[in-house]
Amino acid sequence: MKNIYSNIFKFNKNSLFKVIYHLKKDEVIGLPTETVYGLAGNAYSKKSVRKIFFLKKRPKFNPLIVHYYNLDRASKDVFTNKYFFKLYKKFSPGPITYILKKKNSSKIDSLVSSNLKTIAIRFPANPKIRKILKKLNFPLAMPSANKSEGISPVDSNDVSEEFKKNIKIIIDDGRSNIGIESTVIDLTSNISILRPGSISKKLIEKTLNKKIKVIKNNKKIKSPGMLKKHYSPGIPMILNTPRPKKNSAFIAFGKNVKKNKNIFYLSKKANLYEAAKNLYKIFRKIKKEKYKKIYVAKIPNKGIGIAINDRLKHAAYNKWNLK
Ligand code: TXA
Ligand code: MG
């Protein structure tokens, strides 16, 4: 509890008790997952869900992911299918979110999925959140713990910075292992990836033995996380730049750029997993250092690099350039 709001806690018996107590009282709290930190509340409680939307300033039409301990519990709320089982067996618990049809008997609050007939479900792998989920008799609605359109948090301080004293508990678990959000896959009709993540399209296709689509931004919005502007550090960002420019921040991949105070290395080893883990931390750092512009090196568009490029593209979408 060293931060100024005294709301960051190590995970132990005492804090677990507090977490359960607050969640049962419809409070929302910050929790670690293997992807990014989340803002968690009881998915069966309108009061909790409203608080999440309010704190995040999230538009009501952008639905939340519901997090479960196991399949047995999730089966109360959604209809499963054979594709789901194949993926679940291989990747869950882990960084993948499935869109499935909601059961009429489900107690999930309708606001969670913005009145859609589907629900996004995920089984996080982080052992601490699994211990919490196991003890609860409701699942957790949990978006990334940042203000809408902003940068996702990858440690407990990031969460505290986002919500200050407005949340009472944040469970600390160091840096998020993966660093970018889960892959979102729609399994309701034509299977399609709505948001790329560390579990790649290639791996999913191999598992299902089937070609799948990736939904691009333009047409009808299927996943509002696909809204053009997102994950944004709030300053203009220019992608695929070969060399740094004076007075602007430069995000480098590999170590082929000379060290300087405006250079931010995603991964000196040119490792895409390391780059994903560092991406949002670097966004935050650059923003804090008050740069006016960010240039970004070209990132290989393969494996988790596809997800990195997706986040960069959203972050670079800048209405303010047009103003
Ligand atoms: O890794 C993650 O998924 C993190 C951690 C905390 O679990 N959570 C996360 O939640 O990224 P959020 O709210 O930041 O992003 C959820 C994404 C959004 O793009 C949302 O539009 C989409 O999932 N989504 C949720 N429910 C949906 C539904 N029923 N149909 C289509 N898209 C949905
Ligand atoms: Mg988010």
Side-chain angles (χ1 to χ4, degrees), residues 217-316:
N217 263 313
N218 34 33
K219 299 192 201 96
K220 216 174 86 192
I221 290 167
K222 260 224 144 166
S223 180
M226 300 162 69
L227 288 174
K228 281 189 177 145
K229 185 178 162 208
H230 213 115
Y231 318 114
S232 163
I235 50 176
M237 187 184 272
I238 294 101
L239 307 182
N240 299 322
T241 316
R243 269 173 297 282
K245 316 237 178 215
K246 231 180 155 183
N247 301 326
S248 293
F250 184 80
I251 299 183
F253 183 72
K255 56 170 189 271
N256 52 342
V257 178
K258 222 176 99 205
K259 208 173 155 199
N260 200 340
K261 70 173 189 351
N262 67 332
I263 310 297
F264 299 82
Y265 296 97
L266 274 178
S267 165
K268 284 191 180 164
K269 292 180 285 190
N271 176 303
L272 285 169
Y273 285 97
E274 188 180 41
K277 196 165 172 167
N278 287 331
L279 183 70
Y280 290 141
K281 229 6 189 198
I282 286 178
F283 279 6
R284 251 175 223 274
K285 224 190 220 157
I286 292 174
K287 195 176 171 182
K288 268 191 204 143
E289 292 185 17
K290 304 250 186 287
Y291 282 95
K292 298 277 185 306
K293 227 178 198 178
I294 311 175
Y295 290 89
V296 189
K298 197 175 166 91
I299 313 295
N301 205 40
K302 56 174 194 217
I304 198 171
I306 295 172
I308 297 174
N309 281 317
D310 167 80
R311 305 308 190 270
L312 285 170
K313 219 163 65 199
H314 282 86

Side-chain angles (χ1 to χ4, degrees), residues 56 58 143-144 146 152 181 195 230-231:
K56 271 188 70 92
R58 179 155 171 139
S144 51
N146 53 280
S152 296
E181 306 82 350
R195 179 175 74 184
H230 213 115
Y231 318 114

